[in-house]
């Protein structure tokens, strides 16, 4: 993944983490430049991995659309 996309996704994740810390819930999104199926998939995987590292007790959710919009939701605790 290119540096610009990584920086965009890292900023998105940090915003979600800040929102979660402040409110106990986060729903953030961004638009990828020049989206391809592969870039969208890698972006989703990156966000899920970051969320699993920082918030192991949460069940993060990532959705995307073919126009390159990526959504990250934090706030649901894993069920036991």
């Amino acid at each position: 993944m290119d540096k610009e996309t990584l920086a965009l996704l890292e900023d998105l994740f940090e915003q979600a983490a800040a929102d979660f810390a402040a409110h106990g819930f986060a729903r953030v999104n961004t638009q990828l430049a020049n989206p391809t199926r592969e870039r969208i998939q890698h972006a989703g995987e990156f966000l899920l991995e970051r969320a699993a590292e920082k918030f192991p007790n949460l069940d993060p959710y990532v959705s995307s659309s073919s126009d390159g919009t990526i959504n990250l939701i934090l706030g649901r605790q894993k069920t036991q």
Side-chain angles (χ1 to χ4, degrees), residues 5-80:
T5 302
L6 281 174
L8 179 71
L9 295 174
E10 192 62 42
D11 288 346
L12 179 74
F13 181 79
E14 291 303 321
Q15 179 61 50
D19 288 356
F20 181 77
H23 307 290
F25 181 82
R27 182 182 186 133
V28 294
N29 63 60
T30 193
Q31 182 93 25
L32 296 178
N34 304 315
T36 64
R37 183 178 175 158
E38 183 176 298
R39 289 185 80 208
I40 292 168
Q41 181 177 349
H42 286 294
E45 290 170 356
F46 172 82
L47 291 171
L48 286 175
E49 288 173 8
R50 288 284 288 128
E53 291 170 4
K54 187 160 184 161
F55 303 105
N57 294 329
L58 294 184
D59 191 13
Y61 177 76
V62 173
S63 66
S64 61
S65 63
S66 60
D67 70 353
T69 301
I70 304 290
N71 303 291
L72 172 61
I73 299 172
L74 300 175
R76 296 181 294 163
Q77 296 226 336
K78 290 183 178 179
T79 56
Q80 299 297 335

